[in-house]
Amino acid sequence: INFNMSGDSDLVIEEAFRRAQKAHNNKAKLVASLKNRYNKLEDKTEFHEEFIRCLKYAMIIYTREPAVENVIDFVTKFAASFETPVNENAEEEEEEDENEFLNFLFNFLLESHGANSHAVRFRVCQLVNKLLGSLSENAQIDDDLCDRIHDAMLIRVTDKYPNVRIQAALAMSRLQDPSNFDCPTIKAYMLLLENDSNPEVRRAVLSCIAPSATTLHKIYKRTRDVKEKVRKLAYQVLAEKVHIRALSIAQRVSLLHEGLSDSADSVKEVVKTDLLPAWLHMQQGDVLQLLHRLDVENCAETAVTTLQAIFSMATSPDDLLQNGVRLDERKLIPVDSLTCENVLYWRALCEFVKNKGNEGEELLEQLLPEAAIFAEYLYSYLKSITQLSEEQRADMTQLEMVMTQEYIGQQLILLVGCLDISEEGGRMCSRMVAVLQDILLMPNTPTSLIGLLVEKLIGIVRDDAQKIQMVAEIISDVREPILPISEPVDENEKRRKQVKLAEVRVQIMEAKQTLEECISCQDFSRAAELKDSISQLEALKNQLFLEASQPADNIKEQRVEKSDPKTLLKCLTMCAELFKQMNIKRGICPTMNALIESLILPGVSNPNPAVRNMAVICLGTAALHSKDLANTHLVLLLQITQLDEPKIRISALRALIDQLLLNGLNILQDKPAPVSQDDSNGQPEHQAEEEGTIQSILKMLSEFLDSEVLHIHYIIGYTILELCHHYGLELEKRCIDVFLQTNQECVEESFLPTLRTLFNAPVTSPLSEVDASNVAELFVELTRPSALVKPAAVQAVSVHDSLAVRVCNEILRDISAPEVRVYCKTLSWLEINSEPGPANSELQLLLKDILQEVKDKHCIRIIEKLCNQLNGDSCSKSAGNQDTTLQNLDDNNGGQKKASTAKNGKKASKAELSSDESDDENVPEEPPSVRPSRRAKMAAVDKTKQDLTALMNQEANGS
């Protein structure tokens, strides 16, 4: 259409659309020129019609062609140019005139959003998204129009084409109200995040959903999405839009733990470069404050991994020194300044620098003192740890204080591994060994630190014999410390001293009397002698009196054996760590054997549960060093797995499993199988004995599944998997055979819960892709009586009979449910006993009830066939009365996605349901062909470039 206006140089609409297809054209000039023509028109009707006619050519093309995208951008800019600035003094009529074209375009798009063509629906949502996005922050549109846009996009987010859902979700980003708990947009977003099968849709929702108390948990869950791109974007959204205080401590720790250990490098990188810097910025760059937000006492390893990531991003060594701990002139943190956060930072930084090797030696010297200085520092701190009585431990404040002290002590012990103790036998090494020995001998050393102390002590000493001897001596000193012992004095000796004291007193009295007489007689020489004699007697009297006044017992130092639970637990912990650190190929030496006889075996029968548990752990670890020792005490471990407390039973069970994995399934055989006379190689009898041993072990393991302790079930399952990994799939078959023979009812009980889980699994879950029909068939085969290795005696009601009743009841719960077809198919696979009886009668009644209500022809045929097998044709139903016709899908349904389709796993073609890339979704796949030449490929690419001009010219000529 050519608007004949003389002297007018403005563009006509068709020409503007032609130029808009080219990327190099200035769209701002095109918009200004076309708007100038629009403003000069009095009647805008023809302009509107022509504009829509040209726009439709772009809207019918689904693929993201550059020419089409340029036209869409041009239309968006042209429509947005009619937005009027918000002016309170402006009249409403003027605003309506200015927004006339914008409102007209919105009305056209809303009328077209339900078109049958998915390309049109896609372009409608794309234009709505771009138009709303191009409006200013304070733009105003009519309330009715806003509601219509909202309603239309809420429909389109359920479209069966992912690209349409993506654009609809993006279009609603400015229509959401995070403060409204009942906001329909927020609800739609959360539904898409939770259930949409296409990862690009979930990414689109993540990019525009507003974080709030309602949506935060849904955003957080996307960090565990099955798709790498979704997880990556979820971390980016949390970094950019969510404050760290909005997350719980458990969520913060989980984000860092899973993000930094993600299988995808891109996710790890976004946690390092986006999430961690954002959280540090919220803490003003204070790393210690960030650690405080993580509660490092309960997540030390995650905190260390986080610190390693922060250190790896540091630009210079000075950044590492300035952003964390403050060391004094001794290169130590003052004891009164130690906290959980700064000591963990110190340890993580030292380990990070040490792992750099020669490159980090200079920096490590600035972070740690000499080993002798650190040894004294460690000793002084561990010696100061508060000791609590049983009454004080009831006070949570005091208990938390001691736990904090023990945590700090643990980190300081770990720092020993970063010290330079290179020369064994040198001054540094000797002093550290001496200090660690003293710490282990201290009565107030916490039991929780014993294992770590022994590990560091053994790590310093290199000779194995010296390691064993050193730890054994420490255990001996702890178990039998040197204490002052009082010995009673002989009563005869005591009386003799008393008599002697009395005699001396009498002599003193007599000497004093004689002295007086000599003085009165002026015999001064005699008096001087008596005076000296009296002095000697007085000294003797004082000595005798002092001896008589001393306690009756004589104090001597000697070794005393201690048997209290705390001491035994401490010794057993050291013993367990020793066995753990030593190489199992070395065997059991006499010193280790003495520890087993004097400490471990008596500890197994100790009345204290903690002592018994540690003794069982020691025995299981020691048995790994000697197969003879394992054979000797295997029966004891088996008894413990059956009789003791749950925690101790689990420890004994783990010891048995370790033996099976290390020494094989023949651990119960303590001598080789005899050679058969019929076979010189002895294979038949050997194989038979091996088979019996395997069966007995597997039967023993399966019996543990009856335990009330749930954790034992997990251990048994893990054990069977490990055994299968070690000994091949043949063992797996044996495991299943033994299990199925003894646990048929368990399989039956798990049938319906398993299928319900599959039917109700969200489409984002991997379980949604599992074929429920195959799973049902597997259960049927696992419980088929004729397929078992050792069929049980024929019973009145078999597992399949009772399973058939369960399945029929499940069908009658909801006869219209889509999973009914799977259940009916399951009934056709079962081996049902056709003999008359109560179970048979009950099943026939249920089948009749199903036939009364079921409408699906396939299900009817299966039920009728089963009825005929059970009781002839009495319960069959005329197929003519049950005829149903399949209804074709309505082509005018607007392309809405049926919930039942997604729920039941009905699969459409790739061109209709799913794709990982939004730009290439739903494009029919080309059949495989011979790879073309480069010139042919270039020609093909040129042909795929759409040009709207040809289409418009074709229609113009036709008209």
Side-chain angles (χ1 to χ4, degrees), residues 653-666:
L653 183 59
R654 284 175 171 164
L656 287 174
I657 293 168
D658 289 341
Q659 287 298 321
L660 290 175
L661 295 176
L662 179 66
N663 295 319
L665 296 174
N666 296 325

Side-chain angles (χ1 to χ4, degrees), residues 83-84 86 132-140 174:
E83 179 192 356
T84 56
V86 178
L132 291 177
S134 63
L135 299 179
S136 60
E137 290 292 331
N138 58 350
Q140 295 182 354
R174 297 190 67 175

Side-chain angles (χ1 to χ4, degrees), residues 573-645:
T573 304
M574 286 189 279
C575 190
E577 190 64 31
L578 173 64
F579 283 118
K580 177 182 174 182
Q581 296 295 330
M582 300 303 297
N583 192 331
I584 60 175
K585 296 181 179 180
R586 193 178 186 279
I588 298 291
C589 66
T591 304
M592 297 169 74
N593 191 57
L595 290 174
I596 295 172
E597 296 295 333
S598 62
L599 179 63
I600 297 176
L601 292 178
V604 172
S605 59
N606 192 280
N608 186 277
V611 174
R612 285 203 311 278
N613 184 56
M614 186 55 66
V616 170
I617 294 174
C618 287
L619 183 60
T621 310
L624 297 175
H625 292 257
S626 171
K627 190 172 182 179
D628 293 337
L629 182 67
N631 288 329
T632 302
H633 300 293
L634 196 61
V635 176
L636 175 61
L637 291 173
L638 284 170
Q639 291 175 345
I640 295 173
T641 59
Q642 302 289 340
L643 303 175
D644 218 316
E645 296 185 4

Side-chain angles (χ1 to χ4, degrees), residues 276-285:
L276 279 176
W279 284 3
L280 279 173
H281 179 71
M282 295 171 191
Q283 308 302 322
Q284 289 75 43

Side-chain angles (χ1 to χ4, degrees), residues 177-198:
D177 183 8
S179 60
N180 182 9
F181 291 103
D182 297 323
C183 175
T185 300
I186 296 293
K187 290 183 177 179
Y189 277 167
M190 292 193 296
L191 188 64
L192 289 172
L193 280 179
E194 195 73 22
N195 298 312
D196 200 290
S197 60
N198 189 274

Side-chain angles (χ1 to χ4, degrees), residues 463-501:
D463 182 65
D464 287 347
Q466 187 178 355
K467 293 177 182 178
I468 298 172
Q469 188 63 30
M470 185 181 298
V471 175
E473 290 176 358
I474 296 174
I475 292 175
S476 177
D477 290 341
V478 172
R479 182 80 184 279
E480 299 179 355
I482 299 176
L483 299 176
I485 302 298
S486 59
E487 295 183 354
V489 180
D490 188 8
E491 290 296 330
N492 294 330
E493 181 68 19
K494 183 178 179 180
R495 284 194 295 270
R496 188 186 64 78
K497 290 182 177 180
Q498 291 176 349
V499 171
K500 180 67 174 177
L501 179 60

